[in-house]
Amino acid sequence: MVEVRANESWHSSWFHLLLLLLLAAAASSCHGEKKQVLPLRELQLGDIKTSEKCLPQRSRRVNGATILEMKHQSYCSWSTKSREDRAWKLLALDNARVSSLQSQINDAAMSYSAEKPSSSPPPAGAQIPLNSGAKLQTMNYIVTIQLGGKQMTVMVDTGSDLTWVQCKPCRSCYTQEDPLFDPAASPSYQPIPCNSSMCDSLQMATGVSGACGADQPSCNYALSYRDGSYTNGVLARDRIDLAAVPVRGFVFGCGESNQGMFGGTSGLMGLGRSPLSLVSQTIPEFGGVFSYCLPTREFDSSGSLILGNDYSVYKNSTPVVYTRMITDPQQASFYFLNLTGISIGGTALRSSTQFNTQVLIDSGTVITRLVPSVYKTLRDEFLRHFSGYPPAPGYSILDTCFDLAGYKEVDVPTIRFTFDGDAEVDVDVNGVLYFAKPDASQVCLAFASLSYEEEIGIIGNYQQKNLRVVYDTVGSKVGFAEETCGYS
């Protein structure tokens, strides 16, 4: 009898212990860390030879939307380079782009504060064009359009306004895959005259006024970038076709002298906010709305650029959440947002710098930049959640790296941005860690610090992977939704 009671007591104790363990596991699931699994062996980050030709990208018209296939610029610009060579160059050029953007914003702010209330243009020292990441050969993305009936593969940049292509007669041009655009072969081509409203709009779109003279009946533009790249030519009109949608009288730059690191593309598509941007010029066709879902890999994946406000063509797996655009009169073409919070693995960051801070969302910057105090807090909290892995040396602009060569997969804490209006956006697991080496022996946190607290944070395209990012310029809002990016 004693033995039976002892067994009952033993079973009862184990039952209560098992119950406690189950309750603890449930509590951990409900209140513990939020993580995503990153399968290292499936990434296949070895050296890849790019296509010999920058083949045209596909496009189609669905319902009320135009869908253009997007690919990474590396598809056109690099032949055979090691993964390590590409990674180092991308980050070095990305840092140059960020420095240039910060200088533009700072110079514009000083010019704006020094101005008297008037409509006079800013002083010459502040006439710096809105830089395109294209000139820096960073992680930009390409699409194919038709201009004057000819196919042109161009880079997409939300940080630029003027769309331009290389044109005949070309006094000095870089090598491109497509034939040069020939104005003489297009019956719909028309140069923009001087002293016209479109010529005057160059000032807002580029920071530099159109050039006119007694012997120049046409409006000439000249854009010089800080790295030495430039495009000079004639402002003109012609018909462009975006999938099956014709846009007649589209204003663009016909570049007759162009140099820089533009890869094998024909030029650039400007998706900024000024009247000269493609977005503004196509409001009658697309309502001032565009969105993209960026390719997750450099060579073997596609994304999509969708023009129009027919949201039924999106393939998002979560609802679109919106936050308002911040209009900055100093930099009216940029897309600014209010970042109100960041969390790591479900833990909200606490920083000496209060959140509710202005950031720039940019398709041409690679790595997200944060002011020093916020970055340090993010890094320290990430290390608290991502602990136990062997450290590796810092890499270029990235100072927090790990040796993950011996792992098949790792649990990565979820990083969440919160924007004005309680719009919560989770960074995809593929956008948290940057692979400096293909064998995963040097994998780094894909965030970097700015130099000063006064600078503007930038949400880079590496953290926009597998997201449908919607720009509604008429409604003055930006939306985010999770989506597995592709073209089909």
Side-chain angles (χ1 to χ4, degrees), residues 185-208:
S186 174
S188 51
Y189 175 88
Q190 291 182 326
I192 299 291
C194 282
N195 302 318
S196 64
S197 59
M198 278 299 171
C199 189
D200 293 340
S201 66
L202 273 173
Q203 175 68 47
M204 180 179 179
T206 67
V208 179

Side-chain angles (χ1 to χ4, degrees), residues 50-105:
T50 61
S51 171
E52 293 182 359
K53 289 288 185 181
C54 184
L55 300 175
Q57 309 312 303
R58 297 169 290 177
S59 64
R60 66 183 189 270
R61 180 76 170 163
V62 179
N63 298 333
T66 290
I67 305 176
L68 307 180
E69 181 184 22
M70 296 182 78
K71 282 191 178 291
H72 191 279
Q73 184 198 346
S74 300
Y75 175 77
C76 283
S77 57
W78 273 294
S79 54
T80 302
K81 285 182 178 290
S82 71
R83 164 77 191 183
E84 294 179 46
D85 288 343
R86 294 196 309 271
W88 184 268
K89 186 173 186 179
L90 283 171
L91 293 184
L93 295 174
D94 191 51
N95 203 39
R97 175 180 173 87
V98 170
S99 296
S100 182
L101 289 173
Q102 297 295 340
S103 295
Q104 291 173 59
I105 294 170

Side-chain angles (χ1 to χ4, degrees), residues 39-351:
L40 302 176
R41 298 293 174 86
E42 296 180 11
L43 294 179
Q44 300 177 345
L45 294 170
D47 298 337
I48 302 173
K49 185 174 182 179
T50 61
S51 171
E52 293 182 359
K53 289 288 185 181
C54 184
L55 300 175
Q57 309 312 303
R58 297 169 290 177
S59 64
R60 66 183 189 270
R61 180 76 170 163
V62 179
N63 298 333
T66 290
I67 305 176
L68 307 180
E69 181 184 22
M70 296 182 78
K71 282 191 178 291
H72 191 279
Q73 184 198 346
S74 300
Y75 175 77
C76 283
S77 57
W78 273 294
S79 54
T80 302
K81 285 182 178 290
S82 71
R83 164 77 191 183
E84 294 179 46
D85 288 343
R86 294 196 309 271
W88 184 268
K89 186 173 186 179
L90 283 171
L91 293 184
L93 295 174
D94 191 51
N95 203 39
R97 175 180 173 87
V98 170
S99 296
S100 182
L101 289 173
Q102 297 295 340
S103 295
Q104 291 173 59
I105 294 170
N106 182 60
D107 290 349
M110 290 191 296
S111 172
Y112 185 81
S113 62
E115 282 183 347
K116 295 180 180 180
S118 71
S119 58
S120 59
Q127 293 185 1
I128 303 168
L130 298 182
N131 283 3
S132 164
K135 69 185 184 302
L136 298 171
Q137 200 169 339
T138 55
M139 279 190 173
N140 281 278
Y141 300 89
I142 59 173
V143 298
T144 298
I145 62 174
Q146 281 197 343
L147 176 65
K150 304 297 182 181
Q151 285 189 330
M152 300 283 153
T153 297
V154 294
M155 287 183 288
V156 174
D157 190 9
T158 59
S160 295
D161 290 284
L162 181 66
T163 296
W164 61 268
V165 299
Q166 297 197 113
C167 292
K168 290 182 178 181
C170 204
R171 301 188 302 273
S172 174
C173 284
Y174 60 85
T175 302
Q176 68 176 53
E177 294 289 348
D178 298 320
L180 290 174
F181 177 73
D182 186 358
S186 174
S188 51
Y189 175 88
Q190 291 182 326
I192 299 291
C194 282
N195 302 318
S196 64
S197 59
M198 278 299 171
C199 189
D200 293 340
S201 66
L202 273 173
Q203 175 68 47
M204 180 179 179
T206 67
V208 179
S209 300
C212 297
D215 58 343
Q216 292 180 324
S218 301
C219 178
N220 285 21
Y221 75 92
L223 302 182
S224 298
Y225 303 106
R226 285 177 179 251
D227 72 332
S229 301
Y230 60 84
T231 173
N232 303 329
V234 177
L235 197 66
R237 294 181 186 272
D238 206 335
R239 167 178 166 160
I240 64 168
D241 288 270
L242 302 163
V245 179
V247 180
R248 294 173 175 82
F250 180 77
V251 179
F252 71 104
C254 199
E256 298 174 347
S257 179
N258 321 280
Q259 290 298 328
M261 303 177 80
F262 298 101
T265 64
S266 301
L268 182 141
M269 175 191 287
L271 293 178
R273 300 177 68 181
S274 88
L276 268 187
S277 76
L278 183 140
V279 185
S280 298
Q281 290 193 60
T282 59
I283 286 178
E285 291 80 10
F286 304 120
V289 177
F290 72 95
S291 71
Y292 55 68
C293 196
L294 301 176
T296 55
R297 296 171 182 258
E298 293 179 30
F299 302 101
D300 58 353
S301 68
S302 296
S304 63
L305 171 67
I306 299 180
L307 304 172
N309 55 6
D310 186 344
Y311 302 147
S312 68
V313 300
Y314 299 166
K315 297 184 178 180
N316 50 302
S317 57
T318 62
V320 181
V321 294
Y322 286 96
T323 185
R324 65 188 177 96
M325 293 179 189
I326 306 301
T327 301
D328 188 337
Q330 304 164 23
Q331 295 287 342
S333 294
F334 282 147
Y335 294 99
F336 289 107
L337 309 174
N338 268 344
L339 180 66
T340 59
I342 304 176
S343 66
I344 309 290
T347 303
L349 299 188
R350 297 288 182 266
S351 172

Side-chain angles (χ1 to χ4, degrees), residues 342-410:
I342 304 176
S343 66
I344 309 290
T347 303
L349 299 188
R350 297 288 182 266
S351 172
S352 58
T353 299
Q354 294 294 321
F355 279 109
N356 198 27
T357 185
Q358 184 171 281
V359 295
L360 168 67
I361 182 168
D362 184 33
S363 69
T365 298
V366 183
I367 300 296
T368 290
R369 303 306 206 283
L370 300 169
V371 296
S373 61
V374 174
Y375 171 73
K376 181 179 183 301
T377 305
L378 178 142
R379 179 192 62 197
D380 294 347
E381 187 63 30
F382 182 85
L383 287 171
R384 191 177 73 81
H385 289 264
F386 196 72
S387 60
Y389 297 103
Y395 185 82
S396 183
I397 60 174
L398 308 176
D399 63 12
T400 304
C401 303
F402 310 90
D403 181 357
L404 304 180
Y407 297 85
K408 293 183 179 180
E409 62 182 33
V410 292

